[in-house]
Amino acid sequence: IPDPYRPVPPEKFQIDTPDKANAVLLSVLPLNLRDEDPRYPALVLANFLLGGSETSRLWTRVRVEEGLSYSVYSNVSVSAHEPGGSWSISAIHAPENSQKLERVISEEIKRVLENGFTEDEIREGIRSLLNYRKLGRTNDGNLAAAWMRYLDLDRSFAWAAEQDEKIAALTPEAVNGVLRELLKPGLFSTAIAADQAKQKEARKKAGN
């Protein structure tokens, strides 16, 4: 079913979930490219470094340093059929942390856009991402699912090998360039599902 990119005006959604212990934040940014785009390998690595692993920027800042969430990840999903996809950020957290969580995520995105990923981060990220992809191909279920996708797309695992080669050849300039080109904080739509009574109480205690 065709589902091409289209610009979506950013919106904020607050969803009340009374008596729920946990809250969920989900932010989504539409992307206008497909997985054959030359920027795609750099995008995959940029996402891995931003929030795609448990050593990423968001995980380290939000969960390890600030203790604001139980899990926090970013994810890139790009179509193989047509230009279209999304960059998303999600976090499970306590309702009273929602406001601070949003602020900290915003600060970390601003920091990475201003300063970029370091050469050491990118070198280690390439190594980790390639190992992650290699490990995924040792799982029979993953292999079967990949074959199904490739049959549909008239591809083979040669395509995956080409992606690995492109990832291995990435430079800091390429990754940070694609990051700044595609990651647009002001265009994210964000939904927070939480017990709003607990959020209100937290804001009252914080003097907001």
Side-chain angles (χ1 to χ4, degrees):
I1 300 173
D3 186 23
Y5 165 83
R6 52 196 175 278
V8 178
E11 291 192 44
K12 183 73 176 288
F13 303 92
Q14 296 284 354
I15 304 166
D16 192 18
T17 57
D19 300 322
K20 293 293 184 182
N22 293 334
V24 176
L25 173 145
L26 176 62
S27 295
V28 180
L29 168 71
L31 292 176
N32 186 17
L33 76 165
R34 63 184 292 255
D35 68 3
E36 293 284 0
D37 191 293
R39 298 170 293 178
Y40 180 66
L43 172 63
V44 171
L45 181 60
N47 173 71
F48 187 77
L49 295 171
L50 177 66
S53 75
E54 294 183 2
T55 58
S56 66
R57 289 287 191 99
L58 288 177
W59 184 277
T60 300
R61 174 78 192 282
V62 174
R63 190 180 190 281
V64 178
E65 295 178 3
E66 302 282 352
L68 291 175
S69 72
Y70 309 111
S71 68
V72 57
Y73 290 104
S74 65
N75 181 63
V76 161
S77 176
V78 175
S79 175
H81 297 282
E82 60 193 346
S86 63
W87 201 336
S88 62
I89 296 170
S90 60
I92 300 173
H93 61 285
E96 54 268 27
N97 289 334
S98 294
Q99 190 174 27
K100 188 175 181 181
L101 174 69
E102 280 194 277
R103 176 176 58 79
V104 168
I105 289 175
S106 178
E107 288 174 358
E108 201 57 35
I109 290 175
K110 181 180 179 182
R111 181 180 300 169
V112 76
L113 286 171
E114 288 178 351
N115 302 324
F117 296 112
T118 67
E119 187 172 345
D120 286 345
E121 275 183 294
I122 289 173
R123 182 171 55 250
E124 178 60 25
I126 289 172
R127 186 191 67 79
S128 296
L129 179 56
L130 291 177
N131 283 342
Y132 175 81
R133 288 167 60 85
K134 182 179 180 180
L135 182 63
R137 293 191 289 266
T138 66
N139 179 280
D140 290 346
N142 290 344
L143 284 177
W147 267 123
M148 293 295 289
R149 290 196 304 273
Y150 291 160
L151 286 169
D152 179 50
L153 298 168
D154 194 26
R155 290 175 179 171
S156 72
F157 277 96
W159 190 85
E162 290 172 5
Q163 295 300 304
D164 285 354
E165 291 173 2
K166 291 175 181 178
I167 290 170
L170 288 170
T171 64
E173 292 76 18
V175 176
N176 289 323
V178 168
L179 174 80
R180 293 182 175 117
E181 180 183 356
L182 298 179
L183 185 59
K184 304 295 183 183
L187 297 181
F188 275 93
S189 288
T190 298
I192 296 179
D195 184 332
Q196 293 181 355
K198 293 179 181 178
Q199 291 180 319
K200 184 178 180 179
E201 183 64 25
R203 286 195 295 269
K204 187 185 297 184
K205 289 180 180 178
N208 295 324

